[in-house]
């Protein structure tokens, strides 16, 4: 439980001024003319009762000095606050960015790294500078812009003076009584420490249910019980995973924009439909517009009216009043609980009706954060052991406790708006709001943009596709042929496989992503992390901007993602992308190339990317946690991991990772009912030893698997000479337990354990057929992949060299070598090594062969049988050349 009243020994009072030392680098600064200081919680700050850090206080020549291990605060006793009477300096001067702060210096005048705003409704690449967007409104509500908790100047402020004090039940009481109420963060460039300190006073980032980190779907159509089943079956039929099903606003009765009762014409028996979804392990949410209040036509109107002392036989609407505890509890526990007993799991709060509705004063007392708080904490208030979850807009500082975020209706399906979303998302981590969910959708007439949006969604915090009814409305009026229901499978053949791969990638990474969600709970550092969290001393870490330049970020702790947010070149069909490679060794997850970032932070990789590629890099030697995803998996995210996959990447002689698990839905994780599984390895030039930890002394939760299968995928490794799992020899084979196989097109050794007890440690030892030549292996996978893409492109018009003759065919040799090595790895390792060592020469011959086909640009428009036009040739050449970068 949070306690807003600080330990008295942390407080220094000097007349009308009060200072609270919260941590060595975080100090609260108050001024109150009546010396009656504010002790209540606000939505921004809920907990001030922290362990008191070491500090001293002295008064010399009428100057009060408070000194922590990190900061020195100086105050001219008896004076009003000013630049000359109040200042804070670092205890140790040095190379850190923080030099000095004086009263009157604001976030606006510093190099603050910004926070977030309410949503993206009706706006494009909006500035996140709170001074520049001050006063702007959408849907008659302010942006609720908040500055970041981190700055390149090494200090940041929370100004809480205009916030509202809350009572013990977290209901608004009255405005803050202090005239000055600042929280000073003096963390220098240790940005992650600043976020952790804020979480200590602003509250934890609670863990959302695990299904929320899978794949969501919604559409604004008049969907009925038959449609619900058909949509899920389409996901299965087309091989796309799905975990969370959202009913948009048409689910409810049609007396108005808002409603709380099922439209029985669509859902005659709601419990039947919701029960069917639950039988598929899908979780269900529904859209709400609360401002309409509760009409007399609602199913539970009479009961709510009676609870509020109103005439239950009246036809008068019960008006929305978010500031009323009685109204909100009656709404939640009577009207909406009825839907929840039929199977509704959570709510999409589509609040867009103004900032002063429901009795709110506006500003920091607004319906957005009020509704979010009530609905996320309903289960806790009722004594139910279930995690809270909403899909809702940002309502101001402290909203990190009530996630996930709904960024609203994207203003237009344009490349510019796609390019803005990564920047908007990663910047929100600076206020701990790390789970933005965007409408992932694309126009039906630009499949490339749609696919790139899907790829960004797959690597964003919350992957939620949403067709907002574009088959009707303005689109249908203006451009009927191009209006249609948008789905990832309603695209030409070229795109459907790529879209599916993005979905499958997201679903497979759930163990990695969910471990990142736990890390956010523990540390306040979000799943999506700006580059400057890890590399604050380098200018290039700050290059991401609203236009999509250097749109890159860390996905949790090991993977850098740089989604493509610009269209491809019309000639080469590749999209040019510049990615900053930080100092150190980074493994390219597309091409399996080891890349080195210069120690001065100057390395930038610029190359073309095929539509099938999402630029991603991982730390040398990292282990990526994943799971296998069967074709068309429905409800997989909510289930326990009966198999785990560990991708072991090259670059170091040892490695380690942790994987977090819990039941995924209750609050039992707060009582340590969870399991951390650890994988470590050591490596020599030709061997590796792995240890996977068992449960040991941990207390597993009831649904934790007693047995599971492990799969190790050792990237850029050689076929095995020998190996064992817990002392039992591994045999070569493509399936079954205690076996190994080789994926030649990925140069990856795959080891499968079969089902093993999770109680005990697992030891796996492997020895390769010889020393691994890391330099030789680096980048070969990219060449194998691109050779096949280049060949396939030429095959489409039968212009591949050697397709009709006995001569040529070097591109076919290069494209076929991967599968060949997979076969040779098990049958003839000498032949394998010959193919491996000769591949670069083979690839060079293929490049020369395709280059020799270069047509005249005069053939740009024509493509005769056995001829080739310029763009088709240029695409294949660009593919081959890109793999060599």
């Amino acid at each position: 439980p949070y306690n807003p009243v600080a330990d008295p020994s942390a407080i220094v009072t000097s007349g009308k001024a009060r200072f609270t030392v919260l941590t060595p680098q975080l100090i609260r600064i108050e001024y109150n003319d009546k010396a009656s200081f504010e002790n209540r919680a606000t939505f921004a700050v809920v907990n001030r009762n922290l362990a008191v850090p070491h500090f001293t206080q002295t008064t010399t020549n009428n100057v009060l000095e408070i000194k922590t291990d990190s900061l020195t605060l100086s105050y001219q006793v008896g004076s009003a606050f000013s630049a000359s009477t109040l200042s804070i300096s670092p205890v140790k001067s040095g190379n850190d960015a923080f030099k000095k702060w004086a009263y009157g210096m604001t976030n606006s005048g510093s190099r603050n790294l910004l926070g977030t705003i309410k949503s993206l409704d009706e706006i494009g690449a909006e500035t996140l500078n709170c001074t520049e967007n001050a006063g702007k409104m959408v849907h008659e509500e302010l942006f609720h812009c908040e500055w970041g908790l981190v700055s390149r100047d090494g200090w940041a402020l929370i100004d809480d003076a205009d916030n509202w004090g809350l009572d013990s039940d977290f209901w608004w009481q009255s405005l803050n009584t202090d005239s000055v109420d600042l929280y000073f963060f003096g963390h220098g460039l240790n940005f992650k420490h600043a976020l952790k300190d804020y979480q200590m006073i602003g509250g934890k980032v609670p863990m959302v249910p695990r299904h929320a980190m899978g794949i969501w779907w919604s559409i604004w159509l008049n969907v009925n019980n038959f449609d619900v089943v058909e949509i899920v079956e389409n996901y299965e039929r087309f091989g796309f995973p799905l975990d969370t099903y959202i009913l948009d606003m048409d689910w409810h009765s049609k007396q108005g924009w808002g409603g709380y009762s099922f439209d029985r014409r669509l859902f005659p028996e709601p419990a039947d439909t919701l029960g069917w979804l639950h039988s598929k392990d899908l979780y269900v949410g529904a859209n709400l517009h609360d401002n309409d209040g509760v009409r007399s036509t609602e199913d539970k109107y009479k009961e709510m009216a009676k609870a509020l002392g109103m005439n239950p036989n009246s036809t008068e609407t019960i008006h929305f009043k978010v500031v009323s505890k009685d109204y909100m509890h009656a709404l939640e526990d009577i009207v909406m609980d009825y839907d929840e007993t039929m199977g509704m799991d959570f709510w999409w709060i589509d609040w867009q009706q103004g900032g002063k509705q429901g009795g709110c004063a506006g500003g920091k007392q607004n319906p957005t954060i009020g509704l979010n708080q009530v609905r996320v904490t309903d289960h806790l208030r009722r004594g139910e052991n279930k995690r809270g979850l909403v899909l809702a807009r940002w309502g101001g500082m402290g909203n990190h406790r009530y996630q996930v975020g709904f960024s609203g209706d994207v203003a237009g399906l344009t490349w510019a708006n796609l390019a803005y979303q990564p920047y908007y998302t990663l910047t929100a981590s600076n206020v701990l709001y790390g789970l933005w969910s965007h409408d992932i959708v694309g126009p039906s007439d630009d499949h490339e943009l749609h696919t790139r949006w899907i790829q960004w969604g797959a690597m964003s915090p919350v992957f939620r596709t949403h067709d907002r009814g574009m088959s009707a409305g303005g689109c249908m009026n203006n451009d009927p042929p191009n209006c249609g229901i948008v789905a990832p499978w309603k695209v030409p053949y070229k795109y459907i496989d790529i879209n599916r791969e993005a979905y499958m990638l997201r679903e497979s990474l759930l163990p990695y992503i969910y471990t990142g969600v736990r890390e956010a709970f523990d540390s306040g550092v979000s799943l999506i992390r700006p580059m400057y969290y890890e590399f604050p001393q380098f200018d290039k870490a700050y290059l991401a901007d609203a236009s999509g330049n250097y749109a890159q970020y860390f996905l949790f702790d090991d993977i850098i993602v740089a989604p493509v947010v610009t269209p491809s070149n019309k000639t080469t069909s590749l999209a040019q992308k510049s990615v900053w490679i930080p100092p150190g060794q980074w493994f390219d997850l597309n091409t399996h190339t080891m890349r080195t970032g210069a120690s001065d932070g100057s390395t930038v990789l610029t190359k073309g990317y095929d539509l099938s590629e999402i630029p991603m890099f991982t730390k040398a030697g990292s282990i990526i946690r994943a799971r296998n995803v069967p074709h068309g998996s429905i409800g997989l995210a909510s289930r326990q991991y009966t198999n785990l996959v560990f991708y072991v990447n090259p670059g170091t002689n040892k490695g380690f990772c942790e994987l977090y698990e819990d039941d995924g839905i209750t609050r039992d994780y707060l009582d340590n009912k969870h399991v951390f599984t650890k994988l470590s390895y050591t490596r020599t030039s030709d061997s590796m030893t792995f240890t996977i930890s068992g449960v040991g002394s941990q207390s597993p939760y009831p649904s934790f698997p007693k047995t599971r299968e492990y799969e190790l995928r050792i990237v850029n490794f050689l076929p095995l000479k020998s190996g064992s799992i817990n002392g039992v020899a591994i045999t070569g084979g493509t399936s079954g337990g205690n076996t190994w196989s080789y994926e030649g097109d990925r140069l990856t050794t795959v080891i499968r354990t079969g089902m093993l007890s999770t109680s005990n440690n697992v030891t796996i030892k492997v020895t390769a057929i010889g020393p691994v030549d890391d330099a030789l292996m680096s980048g070969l996978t990219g060449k194998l992949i691109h050779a096949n893409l280049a060949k396939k492109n030429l095959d489409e018009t039968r212009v591949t060299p050697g397709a009709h003759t006995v001569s040529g065919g070097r591109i076919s040799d290069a494209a076929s070598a991967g599968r060949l090595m997979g076969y040779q790895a098990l049958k003839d390792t000498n032949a394998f090594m010959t193919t491996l060592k000769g591949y670069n020469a083979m690839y060079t011959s293929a490049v020369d062969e395709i280059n020799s086909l270069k047509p005249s640009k005069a053939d740009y428009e024509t493509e005769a049988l056995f001829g080739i036009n310029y763009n088709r040739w240029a695409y294949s050449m660009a593919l081959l050349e890109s793999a060599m970068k």
Side-chain angles (χ1 to χ4, degrees):
Y2 299 130
N3 183 352
V5 181
D7 188 311
S9 60
I11 297 172
V12 178
T13 303
S14 178
K16 299 177 181 179
R18 184 169 77 164
F19 307 99
T20 307
V21 182
L22 296 164
T23 77
Q25 293 163 300
L26 173 57
I27 299 176
R28 185 187 189 192
I29 301 168
E30 297 171 272
Y31 194 89
N32 189 302
D33 282 331
K34 297 180 180 179
S36 178
F37 300 103
E38 183 61 79
N39 287 321
R40 294 174 297 175
T42 67
F43 271 123
V45 178
V46 297
N47 187 48
R48 305 184 189 99
N49 196 266
L50 309 179
V52 181
H54 172 263
F55 72 93
T56 60
Q57 59 168 310
T58 59
T59 302
T60 305
N61 296 327
N62 210 36
V63 174
L64 169 66
E65 182 178 274
I66 300 172
K67 190 171 186 178
T68 74
D69 292 341
S70 300
L71 304 175
T72 300
L73 180 148
S74 298
Y75 169 59
Q76 187 73 40
V77 174
S79 302
F81 290 165
S82 70
S84 61
T85 63
L86 177 63
S87 65
I88 299 177
S89 302
V91 168
K92 297 178 181 178
S93 59
N95 296 325
D96 206 310
F98 177 41
K99 306 302 180 185
K100 184 178 180 179
W101 173 84
Y103 183 80
M105 296 171 64
T106 65
N107 291 314
S108 179
S110 71
R111 293 184 294 171
N112 189 278
L113 291 167
L114 310 179
T116 199
I117 56 176
K118 178 173 74 81
S119 69
L120 300 179
D121 295 292
E122 299 183 8
I123 59 175
E126 179 63 50
T127 177
L128 300 178
N129 183 299
C130 298
T131 300
E132 295 174 7
N133 65 40
K136 290 186 178 181
M137 304 181 81
V138 171
H139 300 144
E140 299 182 359
E141 187 170 5
L142 293 169
F143 283 3
H144 309 310
C145 183
E146 297 284 0
W147 293 98
L149 298 165
V150 294
S151 167
R152 295 195 73 179
D153 286 338
W155 61 266
L157 298 170
I158 293 176
D159 186 348
D160 217 27
D162 60 347
N163 215 336
W164 285 65
L166 307 176
D167 68 16
S168 58
D169 292 326
F170 263 66
W171 290 90
W172 290 298
Q173 280 189 316
S174 59
L175 282 168
N176 191 331
T177 59
D178 292 335
S179 58
V180 176
D181 193 357
L182 298 174
Y183 293 82
F184 178 85
F185 292 76
H187 294 77
L189 298 182
N190 193 342
F191 299 145
K192 291 194 286 187
H193 192 181
L195 302 177
K196 187 169 186 176
D197 272 7
Y198 175 63
Q199 184 170 249
M200 292 173 69
I201 64 168
K204 288 279 192 179
V205 179
M207 294 196 69
V208 296
R210 190 172 56 243
H211 72 82
M213 305 316 296
I215 294 166
W216 302 37
W217 179 91
S218 63
I219 191 170
W220 185 22
L221 284 180
N222 203 43
V223 173
N224 72 349
N225 54 3
F226 178 86
D227 299 323
V228 166
V229 174
E230 183 179 56
I231 288 163
V232 174
E233 290 178 344
N234 275 337
Y235 269 86
E236 291 178 301
R237 180 157 62 99
F238 290 104
F240 287 77
L242 179 66
D243 301 295
T244 301
Y245 193 105
I246 301 291
L247 295 168
D248 207 335
M249 57 182 290
D250 286 307
W251 72 276
H252 60 68
S253 55
K254 305 302 193 294
Q255 281 78 14
W257 196 253
Y260 301 101
S261 305
F262 275 92
D263 185 336
R264 298 292 175 136
R265 298 168 299 177
L266 301 175
F267 301 98
E269 292 291 341
D272 172 61
T273 301
L274 301 182
W276 183 85
L277 289 168
H278 288 159
S279 75
K280 308 289 283 187
D281 290 327
L282 294 170
Y283 283 76
V284 191
N287 179 283
L288 293 177
H289 292 92
D290 287 282
N291 193 49
D292 286 0
V294 180
R295 298 183 184 85
S296 61
T297 53
E298 299 290 354
D299 290 344
K300 292 294 177 179
Y301 173 85
K302 291 182 182 295
E303 291 87 342
M304 181 173 177
K306 186 176 180 180
L308 294 177
M310 298 174 61
N311 179 4
N313 298 313
S314 172
T315 59
E316 179 185 353
T317 295
I318 306 174
H319 296 294
F320 173 62
K321 196 170 185 181
V322 70
V323 298
S324 166
K325 184 188 305 185
D326 291 340
Y327 173 91
M328 289 304 301
H329 285 181
L331 174 65
E332 304 297 300
D333 296 345
I334 298 172
V335 177
M336 294 170 61
D337 183 67
Y338 180 58
D339 298 318
E340 292 169 12
T341 58
M342 289 189 286
M344 195 67 71
D345 294 302
F346 69 99
W347 300 99
W348 169 12
I349 308 171
D350 199 1
W351 180 263
Q352 48 186 325
Q353 287 78 47
K356 294 186 177 181
Q357 263 60 11
C360 289
K364 293 188 177 180
Q365 189 194 48
N366 63 79
T368 299
I369 198 167
L371 288 167
N372 296 351
Q373 186 271 336
V374 168
R375 295 204 170 122
V376 166
T377 60
D378 268 342
H379 296 303
L380 178 65
R381 175 178 57 81
R382 296 169 182 164
E384 300 164 351
N385 188 18
K386 185 178 178 181
R387 300 180 200 178
L389 175 68
V390 292
L391 177 64
R393 293 169 174 85
W394 161 266
M397 207 69 173
N399 208 141
H400 68 278
R401 300 188 299 275
Y402 320 121
Q403 299 198 61
V404 301
F406 169 51
S407 68
D409 299 320
V410 62
L413 301 180
T414 65
W415 285 99
N417 285 336
L418 168 60
Y420 179 63
Q421 286 189 359
Y423 168 76
Y424 176 78
T425 306
L426 66 89
T427 305
S429 297
N430 294 337
V431 287
L432 280 64
Y433 202 63
L435 294 179
W436 270 122
S437 168
H438 305 291
D439 285 357
I440 302 300
V441 65
S444 55
D445 60 345
D446 189 341
H447 301 302
E448 180 187 7
L449 175 56
H450 187 190
T451 292
R452 290 302 192 192
W453 224 308
I454 286 172
Q455 290 172 339
W456 148 240
M459 294 293 100
S460 71
V462 177
F463 185 17
R464 179 181 53 84
T465 61
H466 177 59
D467 183 339
R468 53 187 183 170
M470 292 182 295
S471 58
C475 179
M476 181 55 69
N477 295 333
N478 299 326
D479 191 16
N482 291 318
C483 289
I485 296 171
V486 178
W489 52 80
K490 289 190 173 184
V491 293
Y493 180 78
K494 170 184 176 181
Y495 300 91
I496 188 171
D497 286 343
I498 298 174
N499 291 350
R500 187 188 295 111
E501 286 174 8
Y503 273 70
M504 298 287 275
L505 175 63
R506 172 62 182 221
E507 194 77 18
S508 70
L509 284 175
L510 186 72
Y512 176 81
I513 289 170
Y514 193 62
T515 302
V517 173
R518 172 67 197 210
E519 174 64 20
F521 168 77
D522 287 334
S523 70
V525 182
S526 296
L527 180 66
I528 299 295
R529 304 174 178 188
M531 299 299 293
Y532 47 76
Y533 284 9
E534 300 296 334
F535 300 96
Q537 69 273 40
F538 296 105
D539 289 341
K540 283 186 167 56
Y542 302 87
L543 289 177
D545 65 21
S547 298
N549 297 306
Y550 292 92
Q552 62 183 88
Y553 51 86
F554 275 91
L555 178 66
F556 187 25
D557 57 354
D558 279 332
I559 300 176
I560 295 174
V561 182
V564 174
V565 294
T566 55
S568 62
N569 181 281
K570 293 185 182 299
T571 301
T572 66
S573 296
L574 300 188
Q576 284 292 113
K577 175 82 178 181
S578 292
V579 181
W580 177 56
I581 306 297
Q585 296 288 105
W586 299 89
F587 190 64
D588 189 321
L589 292 174
N590 284 293
T591 64
H592 290 184
T593 303
M594 189 63 72
R595 304 192 182 278
T596 301
S599 60
D600 64 356
S602 62
T603 304
V604 173
L605 173 67
T606 300
K607 60 174 289 187
Y609 286 90
D610 186 65
L611 183 64
S612 61
E613 296 175 312
I614 307 171
M616 294 193 294
F617 309 83
T618 188
K619 296 174 182 177
S622 70
I623 306 168
I624 306 300
R625 301 72 116 186
R627 73 192 304 186
N628 285 316
V629 181
H631 186 82
S633 294
I634 303 298
L636 187 62
S638 64
R639 300 179 201 142
Q640 294 296 311
Y641 309 146
T642 55
N643 71 78
L644 284 174
V645 180
F646 296 102
Y647 289 85
V648 183
N649 297 299
T652 59
N653 59 14
K654 61 181 178 180
F656 172 84
C657 76
E658 281 190 321
L659 181 142
Y660 172 81
E661 298 171 83
D662 60 28
D663 63 24
I665 194 67
T666 74
R667 295 195 310 278
D668 285 349
Y669 72 94
L670 298 172
D671 296 324
N672 294 322
K673 293 180 180 179
H674 52 65
V675 173
F676 281 97
T677 298
K678 302 174 182 179
L679 172 66
S680 61
Y681 71 83
T682 58
R683 183 175 194 149
T684 69
S685 63
D686 66 348
S687 68
M688 299 187 74
T689 299
F690 302 87
T691 301
I692 304 172
S693 68
V695 171
S697 61
Q698 300 179 87
S699 301
Y701 48 95
S703 57
F704 181 72
K706 290 181 170 55
T707 61
R708 66 158 57 111
E709 180 181 40
Y710 299 100
E711 182 174 298
L712 298 184
R713 304 179 70 85
I714 312 173
V715 182
N716 279 13
F717 204 63
L718 293 176
L720 297 189
K721 177 182 178 182
S722 63
S724 65
I725 300 173
N726 288 337
V728 179
I730 302 173
T731 59
T734 56
S735 63
N738 246 65
T739 60
W740 73 272
S741 60
Y742 197 81
E743 292 187 355
D745 53 352
R746 294 296 187 273
L747 300 182
T748 296
T749 303
V750 182
I751 301 165
R752 292 169 294 274
T753 67
M755 299 301 288
L756 296 175
S757 170
T758 55
S759 298
N760 306 316
N761 289 356
V762 178
T763 300
I764 301 172
K765 298 180 179 182
V766 296
T767 301
I769 58 174
V772 177
D773 185 341
D774 289 331
L776 172 64
M777 306 285 278
S778 180
L780 290 191
T781 290
K783 293 176 180 178
L784 288 162
I785 293 171
H786 280 220
N788 273 289
L789 290 172
K791 173 184 173 294
K792 189 177 296 184
N793 171 54
L794 300 176
D795 286 344
E796 289 176 356
T797 52
R798 301 175 185 170
V799 294
T800 310
H804 309 285
T805 65
V806 294
S807 61
R810 301 291 75 77
I811 185 65
S812 296
D813 289 336
S816 304
R819 292 283 296 179
L820 172 63
M821 285 190 283
Y823 172 83
Q824 291 172 333
L826 291 170
K827 301 295 185 180
D828 187 345
T829 56
N830 289 329
F832 172 90
M833 291 304 299
T834 299
T835 304
L836 179 69
K837 291 178 179 179
Y839 188 76
N840 277 322
M842 183 190 301
Y843 190 82
T844 299
S845 295
V847 174
D848 292 342
E849 179 179 62
I850 302 306
N851 192 37
S852 70
L853 300 179
K854 183 177 181 178
S856 164
K857 282 198 174 184
D859 295 331
Y860 183 86
E861 298 292 340
T862 61
E863 189 160 25
L865 187 65
F866 308 136
I868 183 170
N869 78 9
Y870 187 85
N871 277 16
R872 188 172 293 277
W873 169 84
Y875 177 37
S876 287
M877 274 305 300
L879 284 166
L880 296 173
E881 290 172 345
S882 174
M884 295 188 289
K885 293 184 177 179

